[in-house]
């Protein structure tokens, strides 16, 4: 079970933008004028576009330096997350409810770099439901569909069980999340709480679409309905 983070579980856009501005200043020595929109993309992609739209020619050293500076800037602002951000409605109860399904392990599939994903969920007490070691993250410089396969590989290495569309579910709020799941090999539940409308999520190929996460029983039923009981016990 893989959760998208931003606008699916939490919304911390204000702090994220401030951290990007600080990282940009550290790496380039200039103030950030324009931040490339997230649009469900990994941090690595956002970094390159942000450099470009601010007139900086990207070099090989820029990405690792920027991601390192971003991690530090975000960590410095982690105490602001709960005060200036929000947990998406129903997120905690949904995570708790899915955790009670037999054989389910929950992790994240996110464009956010790993350290920042941990801070985002920890700020709202959601980290205890997630095995971060099995996730896919924005510093890995892969398309999100490939990150899904990387996460499936990590889970197989841990459990010995192959993970396919029959026993892997992604929950996300954007059409990019849906597309990544379909290409990477997973069932997908779209949540119309963030970047994309319900109709867009359906058109992108979501197996199920929920308005939000406020009905935990509905979330559990959706996950259970998309995975065979045998697969869930094995996974």
């Amino acid at each position: 079970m893989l959760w998208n983070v931003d606008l699916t579980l939490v919304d911390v856009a204000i702090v994220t933008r401030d951290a990007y501005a600080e990282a940009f200043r550290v790496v380039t020595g200039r103030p950030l004028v324009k931040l490339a929109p997230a649009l469900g993309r990994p941090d690595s992609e956002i970094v390159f576009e942000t450099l470009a739209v601010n007139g900086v020619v990207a070099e090989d050293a820029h990405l690792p330096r920027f991601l390192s500076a971003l991690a530090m800037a975000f960590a410095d602002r982690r105490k602001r997350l709960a005060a200036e951000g929000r947990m998406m409605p129903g997120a905690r109860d949904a995570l708790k409810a899915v955790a009670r399904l037999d054989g389910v392990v929950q992790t994240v599939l996110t464009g956010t770099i790993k350290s920042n994903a941990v801070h985002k969920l920890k700020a709202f007490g959601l980290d205890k439901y997630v095995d971060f070691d099995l996730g896919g993250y924005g510093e890995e410089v892969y398309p999100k569909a490939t990150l899904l396969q990387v996460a499936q590989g990590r889970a197989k290495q841990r459990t010995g069980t192959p993970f396919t569309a029959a026993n892997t579910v992604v929950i996300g709020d954007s059409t990019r999340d849906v597309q990544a799941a379909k290409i990477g090999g997973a069932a997908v539940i779209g949540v119309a709480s963030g970047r994309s409308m319900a109709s867009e999520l359906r058109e992108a190929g979501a197996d199920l679409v929920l308005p939000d996460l406020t009905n935990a029983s509905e979330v559990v039923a959706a996950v259970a309905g998309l995975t065979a009981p045998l697969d869930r016990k094995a996974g």
Side-chain angles (χ1 to χ4, degrees), residues 114-195:
K114 184 176 181 180
S115 62
N116 292 359
V118 173
H119 287 313
K120 289 176 182 183
L121 297 192
K122 193 169 185 178
F124 299 94
L126 304 180
D127 56 307
K128 58 187 174 183
Y129 304 108
V130 172
D131 187 334
F132 290 102
D133 289 339
L134 301 182
Y137 302 94
E139 69 264 45
E140 298 184 86
V141 201
Y142 297 122
K144 212 165 189 180
T146 305
L147 285 179
L148 167 59
Q149 295 170 341
V150 168
Q152 287 174 315
R154 287 170 177 153
K156 180 182 178 181
Q157 188 174 22
R158 168 84 64 82
T159 67
T161 300
F163 286 86
T164 67
N167 61 358
T168 307
V169 178
V170 171
I171 295 186
D173 65 90
S174 75
T175 56
R176 278 180 174 257
D177 296 325
V178 174
Q179 292 159 357
K182 304 311 282 186
I183 294 169
V188 56
I189 299 167
V191 184
S193 59
R195 302 177 184 91

Side-chain angles (χ1 to χ4, degrees), residues 2-213:
L2 300 112
W3 293 86
N4 180 59
V5 174
D6 291 303
L7 298 183
T8 300
L9 295 175
V10 301
D11 178 5
V12 293
I14 294 173
V15 179
T16 298
R17 193 192 190 289
D18 283 355
Y20 259 99
E22 173 64 13
F24 185 88
R25 186 195 63 76
V26 168
V27 171
T28 69
R30 294 162 43 182
L32 177 67
V33 176
K34 184 177 182 180
L35 177 63
L39 301 176
R41 299 180 299 172
D43 278 332
S44 56
E45 191 174 330
I46 296 168
V47 166
F48 281 125
E49 185 174 332
T50 295
L51 290 170
V53 298
N54 288 276
V56 178
V57 178
E59 300 175 356
D60 289 345
H62 270 128
L63 182 61
R65 287 180 59 209
F66 203 118
L67 294 180
S68 177
L70 181 63
M72 184 173 296
F74 202 88
D76 288 343
R77 291 159 174 78
R78 65 188 182 277
K79 293 182 180 178
R80 292 171 47 191
L81 291 169
E84 299 179 33
R86 63 179 179 131
M87 179 170 57
M88 299 303 287
R92 180 179 287 109
D93 287 343
L95 282 163
K96 285 174 63 177
V98 172
R100 290 195 286 267
L101 279 171
D102 286 342
V104 167
V105 177
Q106 299 185 96
T107 188
V108 295
L109 179 66
T110 177
T112 300
I113 61 175
K114 184 176 181 180
S115 62
N116 292 359
V118 173
H119 287 313
K120 289 176 182 183
L121 297 192
K122 193 169 185 178
F124 299 94
L126 304 180
D127 56 307
K128 58 187 174 183
Y129 304 108
V130 172
D131 187 334
F132 290 102
D133 289 339
L134 301 182
Y137 302 94
E139 69 264 45
E140 298 184 86
V141 201
Y142 297 122
K144 212 165 189 180
T146 305
L147 285 179
L148 167 59
Q149 295 170 341
V150 168
Q152 287 174 315
R154 287 170 177 153
K156 180 182 178 181
Q157 188 174 22
R158 168 84 64 82
T159 67
T161 300
F163 286 86
T164 67
N167 61 358
T168 307
V169 178
V170 171
I171 295 186
D173 65 90
S174 75
T175 56
R176 278 180 174 257
D177 296 325
V178 174
Q179 292 159 357
K182 304 311 282 186
I183 294 169
V188 56
I189 299 167
V191 184
S193 59
R195 302 177 184 91
S196 303
M197 296 185 296
S199 59
E200 293 173 323
L201 295 168
R202 291 190 189 94
E203 187 175 344
D207 295 289
L208 290 167
V209 176
L210 304 176
D212 51 39
L213 299 175

